[in-house]
Amino acid sequence: KVRSGGYIKVRDAVTLDVRKEIAMGDAYEVNAASYCPVKGRVVAGGSDMWVHVYDGASGAFEEVDCGRGHHGPVHCTRISPDGSSFATGSEDGTIRIWNW
């Protein structure tokens, strides 16, 4: 679930096979990304201080939401076990809880 060569790659937790890829180009430097299998979405954060949500329901991941709430680069993202929310942590010392 990390950026590699301009892509966010979603890997199988057992085999580590790449299941899905999101081409990032030069949009922003991704520091953290998490996949939610319940919703089929990826949450990513990085150097631009925004939290980006990508939906993979159509097969191709498209950005469907983008939220600002941090005042420093985002360094971690985690999805709740039931998929109802997610958390992000930033260099600014804050942790934010987000609802989809």
Side-chain angles (χ1 to χ4, degrees):
K1 299 175 207 144
V2 297
R3 182 182 160 109
S4 172
Y7 293 89
I8 294 174
K9 295 182 180 184
V10 178
R11 295 184 177 269
D12 183 285
V14 176
T15 66
L16 298 181
D17 293 336
V18 175
R19 297 292 182 194
K20 301 176 187 279
E21 289 185 342
I22 303 171
M24 296 306 298
D26 293 326
Y28 62 99
E29 181 180 335
V30 176
N31 295 332
S34 296
Y35 176 68
C36 178
V38 174
K39 301 239 181 221
R41 291 184 168 188
V42 169
V43 175
S47 62
D48 66 351
M49 299 183 274
W50 290 77
V51 176
H52 303 266
V53 178
Y54 300 90
D55 185 28
S58 67
F61 279 92
E62 297 180 21
E63 188 169 351
V64 294
D65 199 5
C66 186
R68 180 141 188 174
H70 291 293
H71 299 285
V74 177
H75 289 293
C76 62
T77 60
R78 295 294 182 269
I79 309 289
S80 66
D82 66 357
S84 65
S85 61
F86 58 94
T88 57
S90 170
E91 194 171 296
D92 66 7
T94 62
I95 296 172
R96 300 211 179 262
I97 308 297
W98 307 78
N99 293 315
W100 299 102

